[in-house]
Every structure is written in C-alpha cells, then in structure tokens.
C-alpha cells in the first residue's frame, strides 16, 4: 500500500479513536460540569475531529495537491489552544517550569523555520508557530510541575531536541550524497525519543504514578508525535500518526483520572 493510502487510513483510525475519546469526555463533562478543564478538552476534541474529517475529504477529492492555506488550519489551531487551556486549568502553579517552557518555545519556532524552508508556505507556518509554541510551553511546564522527568531525562530530552534541529538544518547545506543518510539519522532520532516517551507513558499509566504525572508524560509523548508528524513524510509520517493515536488514548485515560479523582 502506498504511503498516501496508508496516511488516509491512519487519519480514519485517528478519527475513530478521537470519536471514542469525545464520547468519553462528554460523559466526564456530564459528571463534572463544573470542571473547566473537561469543557475545554471536549471542545478541543470536537475541533480536531472536524479538522481531520476536512483533511480526509480534501485528500480524497484533491490528492497530491498542496493547499497554501485551508479552513482546517483554524480547527487545528483551536484544538491546540483549547487543549492547552484544559491542561493549564489542571496545572495551576505559574512559577515552576518557565525555563523549560521557554526552551520548548524556542524549539517550536526553530521547527517553524524548518517547515517554511521545506514547504515555502510561510503564511500558514507563521500562523501555526505561535499556537504550537503555546502548546509545547504548556506541555513542558506540566512536565516540570508534575516532576515527571528526572534531571538526566530533562538533559537527554533537551540534547535530543537541539541535535534534531541542528541535523535537520544541516540537511540544507551538506553535499547531496550526505542528505539521505542525515535524513535517516533524523528519523531514527525522532522515533527513538518517541519510543522512550511512549514507554515511560505506558509504564506510568499502568503503574502507580499520580494522575498528573501520567497526564504530563502523555502530553509529552503526544507533543513529540505532533512534532514528528510535522517533520516527516511517507511511511514515517504514517508511523507518526499512529504514535499520535496511542498518545491521545493515554492522555484521555490520565485526564479522566485527574478530573474525576
């Protein structure tokens, strides 16, 4: 099966998964109507379902035709803003994690520079960058406030992020014969970090970690999968979408536990 067909199938899977999560979140809102976090999360899921359905329809009607700016950009932006607001409503300490959050913002804008260099769609990417930066900031702050990562894990994550940006940038400047090996090294690094975050998340969700720790790790796995998808193509892109699905399931489980406890 070609990567395009696989990516469409992966989006259908994502829609199915998110629809189930949406139904579960609606029940949480019914039980805890006073929870702002649950309401924000519900509308975030609605936004991303509409976004993915739009993208599937566009991809089927106009395959392989790039759109510099489309209506789904608003749905995607709404998802990250609402999702971030839901998390912020649960992690209320405003004084911890600012340094880590700023580093995440720098990573987001550096990534946006790469998106523009790859696609040339600077209007779309410049509009998306602040939204993604906000979501990554919230994720990093949540990780710090939940004490979800040990100091050595923070160091490893920071080093991997910096190395990834440097390697992705270097692809534009190295000789042609080195581009593919360096590109492969970037993919291996992205999915190595992804596997590590997903393993930590799975252990936390199945173990005795606090719901906030579970949620913070789930968010980290999801945020990294989003970054991976934005930096990938072909079969790697499909793999990134599957990682998104797994991370969202873990996020839902830990979110319910935190809101309902």
């Amino acid at each position: 099966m070609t990567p395009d067909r696989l990516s469409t199938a992966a989006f259908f899977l994502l829609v199915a998964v998110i629809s189930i999560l949406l139904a579960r979140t609606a029940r949480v809102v019914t039980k805890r109507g006073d929870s702002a976090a649950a309401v924000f999360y519900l509308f975030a899921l609605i936004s991303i379902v509409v976004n993915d359905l739009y993208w599937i329809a566009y991809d089927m009607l106009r395959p392989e035709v790039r759109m510099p700016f489309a209506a789904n950009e608003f749905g995607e932006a709404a998802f990250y803003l609402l999702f971030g607001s839901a998390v912020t409503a649960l992690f209320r300490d405003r004084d911890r994690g600012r340094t880590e959050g700023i580093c995440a913002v720098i990573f987001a804008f550096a990534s946006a520079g790469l998106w523009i260099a790859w696609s040339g769609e600077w209007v779309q990417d410049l509009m998306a960058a602040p939204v993604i930066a906000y979501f990554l900031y919230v994720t990093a702050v949540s990780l710090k406030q939940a004490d979800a990562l040990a100091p050595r894990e923070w160091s490893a994550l920071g080093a991997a992020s910096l190395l990834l940006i440097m390697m992705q940038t270097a692809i534009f400047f190295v000789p042609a014969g080195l581009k593919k090996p360096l590109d492969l090294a970037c993919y291996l690094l992205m999915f190595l970090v992804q596997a590590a975050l997903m393993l930590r998340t799975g252990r936390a969700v199945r173990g005795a970690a606090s719901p906030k720790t579970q949620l913070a790790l789930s968010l980290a796995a999801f945020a990294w999968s989003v970054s991976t998808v934005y930096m990938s193509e072909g079969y790697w892109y499909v793999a990134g979408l599957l990682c998104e699905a797994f991370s969202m399931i873990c996020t839902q489980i830990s979110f319910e536990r935190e809101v309902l406890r």
Side-chain angles (χ1 to χ4, degrees):
M1 188 178 291
T2 64
D4 288 340
R5 291 192 176 184
L6 275 177
S7 65
T8 301
F11 267 108
F12 273 114
L13 175 62
L14 264 177
V15 168
V17 168
I18 297 170
S19 297
I20 295 172
L21 304 186
L22 181 57
R24 292 183 64 91
T25 305
R27 289 195 298 175
V28 173
V29 171
T30 301
K31 293 178 182 179
R32 288 292 311 274
D34 60 335
S35 172
V39 174
F40 282 136
Y41 190 49
L42 176 67
F43 282 101
L45 292 176
I46 293 172
S47 298
I48 199 62
V49 165
V50 173
N51 170 81
D52 287 349
L53 288 174
Y54 178 95
W55 181 252
I56 289 172
Y58 178 84
D59 194 46
M60 294 178 69
L61 292 173
R62 305 186 67 181
E64 300 182 3
V65 177
R66 297 191 67 87
M67 174 70 75
F69 191 82
N72 69 300
E73 303 297 333
F74 294 102
E76 193 170 17
F79 168 71
Y80 291 117
L81 292 174
L82 289 165
F83 200 0
S85 298
V87 176
T88 301
L90 297 176
F91 292 85
R92 297 180 178 276
D93 188 349
R94 299 292 186 267
D95 297 324
R96 290 192 64 202
R98 289 182 179 176
T99 300
E100 290 78 7
I102 291 171
C103 290
V105 169
I106 294 172
F107 177 81
F109 280 101
S111 298
L114 290 169
W115 305 339
I116 294 171
W118 289 326
S119 67
E121 297 169 355
W122 60 273
V123 174
Q124 172 182 307
D125 293 335
L126 285 177
M127 291 184 65
V131 176
I132 298 297
Y134 166 73
F135 180 68
L136 293 186
Y137 178 89
V138 169
T139 299
V141 169
S142 302
L143 275 172
K144 187 64 176 180
Q145 291 183 11
D147 293 318
L149 295 179
R152 65 180 182 278
E153 291 174 319
W154 275 112
S155 298
L157 181 59
S161 301
L162 177 60
L163 181 59
L164 178 61
I165 294 297
M166 292 173 63
M167 290 169 63
Q168 294 280 21
T169 303
I171 293 175
F172 293 100
F173 304 102
V174 298
L178 293 178
K179 290 183 183 295
K180 285 189 176 181
L182 189 54
D183 191 40
L184 176 60
C186 290
Y187 280 124
L188 293 178
L189 176 60
M190 285 190 290
F191 281 93
L192 179 62
V193 175
Q194 185 72 67
L197 288 172
M198 289 169 62
L199 182 61
R200 288 280 278 112
T201 299
R203 286 178 176 174
V205 171
R206 293 182 60 186
S210 69
K212 280 193 173 180
T213 298
Q214 297 174 27
L215 180 56
L217 287 169
S218 300
L219 284 169
F222 176 70
W224 190 269
S225 68
V226 169
S227 174
T228 298
V229 166
Y230 284 175
M231 291 187 178
S232 301
E233 62 180 359
Y235 294 109
W236 297 102
Y237 178 82
V238 176
L241 290 176
L242 296 179
C243 292
E244 274 194 27
F246 170 84
S247 303
M248 290 201 72
I249 292 171
C250 292
T251 300
Q252 179 72 31
I253 294 171
S254 53
F255 181 84
E256 288 183 15
R257 290 172 179 173
E258 175 62 21
V259 172
L260 295 177
R261 73 184 176 92

